[in-house]
């Protein structure tokens, strides 16, 4: 539905307000035919005034042949600001609810009123006050300029015209007995005008039962703020005194407290008093005029606690001092005011809830949730993921407080074994070493203090392992001369939870060492002149591990310094095959096998070359 019309936002008291509701489908298209009206229009208060009962009438909008609409109308008589909710078929109209301002109607003298003691009783020669309240025909106050006339007529026929300023007038009765006060707006009498006013002598006898105390803290006050009030002395005719001299006393008491004081005479017919209470509870306040209870005395004064004080509030719960990573830490705050009064209500609209921060050093780690229990207490819970010693800092409004005890967050259960080198794989060169650190960690990576000795199992005796414990860490040093793949399995047990993690280490071959290269083949047994033979050279590093020949490596073979022509084959990077045919005989000659100008392992070899 779609609402339109001026009555959505502005109306006048007593004047029919009309609005149109157009029927649309969910895509905003106007419906060509009206279904039966099943909508509603309702007012709710915005400005705090009561909502008048309103009967809304609904009629189809005539002349709308290609679209469907209803005219919804009502007459409102109470001015103010309202929320107008319009719906059709159970669905709010677009833009609903609307803010509707109902303005007063035109001023009605007969409905306008006058307030103040000057229309009931007065004292000869003393100022008598009255205030004119212009209203419309429905009793709604009307603001703006208005023509007001006030006149006082005495029994002797004397008539005084009283000046009016800002809708207020003051007159001074000339004689004792009575006078008639007429108040007119636009030449017409206001409600109950003219008024018959009794005029009393200037000084009448003081009346304790008519004298009264007034003030906002007579029934409700806050601890630490003054319970203050003013007493107005009144004579037997109900005329307010404008001079002092009366004996006015006040008494405040309860079972554990009593205070009495003579109140301050302000020399204008009023008397002021005040008590400053710091303990919450219900007190009895008695106000005496000439040693007799004044009107309404004794009063029941409820003193409620003040706002929360961080220093006086009580903090309870294990979560204040100890917690575990991944676990839920909790504690409660029982709020008290600065005078240690326990608060039984939440801050609600009075103030924000307290705030809690958990820090390591000056770094904020987590902000716990704070739930209002609606009884003056708060429930705090958090889930820390970093172990360590925390500062617990609370704040309320502009105040803050750090708890005297630190919060210790312990690591959680062991989850895995974490290496310092970042993965489960590592490598180093034969003859070298590898160093690293491992530690048992929880699911969030916090290092644990493993109380039961961990196990370190290597799958080969060709590698040496040295373990050194330092705090929560275990330093590992690996040494190996044999190349290959090795596996280290680390097992840790903490609080009955066991984890086992395998780390894979690769020992690579060291650089080629020519004097450790292995020479084999028939050529080592000598041979015959012009008969082909061969030797094989196997690449090795300094520790006998199979190494590789690079393309730049060269090979040569000589007998007693006479080099032999070679046919060189390289079946693999680790093997070179030298084929040759001796050209001359020799008995016990030196066969030199050279790799890049250096002797291979065992070279020179003593061999004999026989004649063919």
């Amino acid at each position: 539905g779609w609402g339109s019309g001026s009555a959505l936002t502005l109306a006048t008291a007593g004047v029919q307000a009309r609005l149109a509701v157009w029927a649309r489908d969910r895509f905003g298209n106007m419906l060509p035919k009206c279904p039966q009206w099943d909508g509603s229009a309702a007012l709710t208060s915005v400005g705090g005034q009561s909502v008048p009962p309103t009967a809304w009438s609904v009629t189809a909008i005539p002349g709308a042949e290609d679209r469907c609409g209803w005219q919804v109308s009502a007459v409102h008589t109470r001015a103010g600001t309202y929320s107008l909710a319009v719906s059709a078929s159970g669905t709010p109209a677009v833009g609903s609810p609307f803010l509707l301002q109902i303005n007063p109607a035109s001023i009605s003298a007969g409905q306008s009123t006058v307030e103040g003691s000057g229309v009931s009783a007065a004292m000869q020669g003393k100022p008598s006050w009255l205030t004119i309240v212009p209203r419309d025909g429905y009793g709604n106050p009307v603001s703006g300029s208005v023509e007001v006339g006030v006149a006082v007529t005495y029994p002797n026929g004397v008539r005084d015209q009283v000046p009016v300023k800002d809708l207020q007038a003051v007159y001074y009765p000339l004689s004792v007995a009575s006078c008639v006060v007429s108040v007119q707006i636009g030449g017409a009498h206001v409600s109950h005008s003219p008024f018959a006013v009794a005029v009393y002598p200037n000084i009448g006898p003081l009346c304790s039962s008519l004298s009264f105390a007034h003030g906002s803290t007579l029934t409700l006050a806050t601890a630490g703020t003054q319970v203050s009030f003013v007493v107005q002395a009144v004579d037997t005719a109900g005329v307010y005194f404008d001079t002092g001299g009366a004996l006015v006393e006040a008494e405040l008491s309860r079972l554990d407290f009593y205070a009495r004081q003579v109140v301050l005479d302000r020399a204008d017919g009023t008397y002021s008093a005040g008590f400053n209470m710091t303990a919450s509870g219900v007190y009895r306040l008695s106000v005496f005029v000439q040693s007799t209870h004044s009107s309404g005395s004794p009063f029941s004064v409820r003193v409620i606690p003040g706002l929360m004080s961080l220093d006086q509030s009580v903090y309870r719960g294990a979560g204040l001092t100890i917690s575990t990573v991944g676990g839920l830490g909790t504690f409660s705050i029982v709020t008290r005011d600065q005078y240690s009064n326990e608060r039984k209500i939440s801050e609600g609209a009075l103030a924000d809830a307290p705030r809690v921060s958990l820090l390591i050093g000056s770094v904020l780690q987590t902000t716990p949730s704070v739930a209002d229990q609606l009884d003056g207490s708060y429930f705090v819970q958090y889930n820390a993921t970093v172990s360590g010693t925390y500062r617990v800092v609370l704040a309320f409004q502009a105040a803050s407080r750090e708890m005297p005890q630190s919060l210790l967050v312990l690591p959680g259960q062991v989850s895995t074994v974490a290496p310092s080198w970042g993965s489960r794989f590592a490598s180093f060169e034969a003859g070298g070493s590898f160093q690293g650190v491992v530690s048992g960690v929880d699911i969030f990576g916090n290092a644990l203090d493993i109380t039961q000795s961990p196990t370190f199992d290597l799958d080969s005796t060709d590698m040496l392992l040295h373990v050194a414990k330092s705090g929560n860490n275990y330093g590992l040093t690996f040494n190996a001369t044999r190349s290959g793949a090795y596996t280290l399995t680390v097992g840790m047990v903490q609080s009955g939870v066991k984890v086992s993690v395998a780390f894979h280490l690769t020992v690579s071959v060291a650089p080629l060492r020519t004097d450790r290269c292995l020479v084999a083949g028939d050529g080592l047994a000598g041979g015959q002149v012009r008969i082909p033979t061969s030797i094989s050279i196997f690449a090795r590093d300094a520790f006998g591990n199979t190494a590789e020949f690079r393309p730049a490596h060269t090979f040569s073979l000589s007998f007693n310094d006479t080099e032999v022509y070679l046919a060189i084959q390289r079946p693999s990077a680790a093997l070179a095959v030298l084929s040759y045919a001796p050209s001359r005989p020799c008995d016990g000659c030196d066969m030199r096998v050279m790799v890049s100008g250096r002797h291979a392992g065992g070279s020179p070899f003593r061999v004999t070359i026989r004649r063919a």
Side-chain angles (χ1 to χ4, degrees), residues 198-222:
V199 181
Y200 297 95
N202 198 337
I203 301 176
L206 180 64
C207 179
S208 299
S209 61
L210 293 180
S211 299
F212 62 91
H214 61 92
S216 61
T217 57
L218 269 177
T219 56
L220 182 66
T222 303

Side-chain angles (χ1 to χ4, degrees), residues 109-120:
Q111 292 295 325
S112 298
T113 57
V114 180
E115 300 172 353
S117 62
V119 295
S120 57

